[in-house]
Amino acid sequence: MDTLNNSSSVSEFILLGLSSSQEIQILFFAIFLHMYVAIVVGNLLIVITVIFDSHLHSPMYFLLANLSFFDLCFSSVVTPKVIADFLRKRKAISLWGCMTQMFFMHFFGGGEMSLLIAMAIDRYVAICKPLHYKTIMNRRVLTVFLLFSWTTGFIHTTSQMAFTVGLPFCGPNVVDSIFCDLPLVIKLACTETYTLELLVIADSGLLSVFCFILLLISYIIMLVTIWQHSSSASSKAVSTLSAHITVVTLFFGPAIFIYAFPFNSFSVDKFLSVFYSIITPFLNPIIYTLRNQEMKAAIKRLNKQHIGSWLNP
C-alpha cells in the first residue's frame, strides 16, 4: 500500500465549526475558554488532592483521580484548538494533525471507558462484598485495572486508526464538526469504506452500547443490594452510585448515539460531540466533588495547608 503522502492530494481538512456568525463565535470563544479553564483546574484539583491527602488513599479515590486525568487529557486533545478556531475565519487542521487528534481522542476515550468499568467493579465489591473489600481491591488489582485501561485505549484506537491513516483523500476535505471526528473523516475518503464503517460501528458503537448496558446492570444489582441490606451507610452508598450513574450516562450517551449510528446525517451529532468532549469533562469534577463530603473536606485541608505554608514559610 502507498504511504499516506503518496496516496493523498489533501494536505488539510476544513472544519465548519458550530456557527458562521462572528458574534456567536465570539460568544462561544468566551464560553468554551471558561469551561476549559474549569476543566483543567477542576480535574487537576482532584488529582492533586487525592495524591497529597492521606485520607483519600483508597481504591475508589485512586480510580477517581485517574478518571480526572483521562478527562483532562481527553479534553486537551480537542478543546484548545476549538477555542482558537472560534477566532479564525478559516478553521483548518493538517492531515496528520487530524489523524493525531483522532488517535488520542479514541485512546483516552477507550481508556476512560475501561476505567468506568473498573470503578463499577470497585463499588460492586464495596457494596456487595464489604468484608472482603480490602482483600480484593488491593494494590495489585488496582495496578491491573490501570494497565488494562491504558491497554484498552491503545488497542481501541490503533484498531481503527491503522486502517484510517492509509485511506486516500483526494477530493472533499470539509468536516462538518468542530474537530476531526472519525466517522465524518472516513466519509471523505476516495475509496470504498463500507468495511471500515462497520469496524467503527463495532469497535466504538457496539462496544459503547455493551459497556453501558453492563454498567447499568451492575449498578441495578448494587442498588437492589443496598435496599435489601439497609444500614447507616446506605445513603452515602446511594449518593456515590448516583454520581457514578450520572457520569456513565453523560459519557456513554452521546458516544453511543454518534458511533452506533455514525454514518447518518444528523445535525445534532455536532452538538453531541461538544457534549462528550467538553461538557462531560467539565461536569465530572462538579459531580464528584460537590456531592462528596470527603473530597470537599480534603480540598479544604489541602487549601489550609497550602495557605499556611505560604503565610509561614
Side-chain angles (χ1 to χ4, degrees), residues 39 43 46-47 62-79 103-121 145-157 203-204 207-208 211-212 214-215 219 243-255 273-288:
I39 289 170
N43 285 290
I46 291 177
V47 173
F62 172 81
L63 296 172
L64 175 59
N66 280 279
L67 177 67
S68 293
F69 179 75
F70 273 106
D71 274 336
L72 177 60
C73 293
F74 183 84
S75 182
S76 296
V77 171
V78 174
T79 312
F103 178 90
F104 283 106
M105 280 185 61
H106 285 270
F107 176 67
F108 290 115
E112 184 166 338
M113 189 185 304
S114 303
L115 195 62
L116 288 171
I117 294 176
M119 294 174 71
I121 294 173
F145 279 157
L146 192 57
L147 290 175
F148 177 72
S149 296
W150 286 98
T151 303
T152 300
F154 182 76
I155 294 174
H156 173 68
T157 191
D203 200 338
S204 294
L207 182 61
S208 298
C211 291
F212 182 64
L214 182 65
L215 287 169
Y219 286 128
H244 282 242
I245 293 172
T246 302
V247 169
V248 166
T249 303
L250 290 174
F251 179 81
F252 282 100
S273 298
V274 172
F275 195 90
Y276 77 78
S277 63
I278 298 172
I279 296 179
T280 299
F282 169 76
L283 291 177
N284 282 359
I286 298 175
I287 293 170
Y288 280 115

Side-chain angles (χ1 to χ4, degrees), residues 55-66:
H55 296 84
L56 301 183
H57 289 177
S58 66
M60 183 181 78
Y61 291 107
F62 172 81
L63 296 172
L64 175 59
N66 280 279

Side-chain angles (χ1 to χ4, degrees), residues 28 87 114 119 154 196 302:
F28 281 144
L87 301 179
S114 303
M119 294 174 71
F154 182 76
L196 185 55
L302 184 66

Side-chain angles (χ1 to χ4, degrees), residues 142-217:
L142 292 176
T143 302
V144 170
F145 279 157
L146 192 57
L147 290 175
F148 177 72
S149 296
W150 286 98
T151 303
T152 300
F154 182 76
I155 294 174
H156 173 68
T157 191
T158 53
S159 63
Q160 298 176 99
M161 294 307 300
F163 299 99
T164 305
V165 295
L167 291 175
F169 296 96
C170 54
N173 67 336
V174 177
V175 180
D176 188 13
S177 183
I178 59 174
F179 53 77
C180 286
D181 208 355
L182 186 59
L184 298 179
V185 173
I186 290 175
K187 289 174 65 175
L188 301 178
C190 302
T191 186
E192 176 59 49
T193 59
Y194 179 75
T195 302
L196 185 55
E197 291 174 10
L198 292 180
L199 174 63
V200 170
I201 293 174
D203 200 338
S204 294
L206 297 183
L207 182 61
S208 298
V209 172
F210 174 77
C211 291
F212 182 64
I213 293 175
L214 182 65
L215 287 169
L216 283 184
I217 292 174

Side-chain angles (χ1 to χ4, degrees), residues 9-81:
S9 60
V10 171
S11 61
E12 64 179 15
F13 291 101
I14 304 300
L15 305 171
L16 292 185
L18 291 178
S19 173
S20 59
S21 169
Q22 185 175 359
E23 291 77 11
I24 295 178
Q25 290 194 80
I26 295 298
L27 176 63
F28 281 144
F29 170 81
I31 294 173
F32 278 54
L33 179 60
H34 283 85
M35 290 184 69
Y36 182 63
V37 171
I39 289 170
V40 173
V41 173
N43 285 290
L44 275 180
L45 183 61
I46 291 177
V47 173
I48 293 172
T49 303
V50 172
I51 291 175
F52 289 102
D53 194 298
S54 58
H55 296 84
L56 301 183
H57 289 177
S58 66
M60 183 181 78
Y61 291 107
F62 172 81
L63 296 172
L64 175 59
N66 280 279
L67 177 67
S68 293
F69 179 75
F70 273 106
D71 274 336
L72 177 60
C73 293
F74 183 84
S75 182
S76 296
V77 171
V78 174
T79 312
K81 176 164 177 49

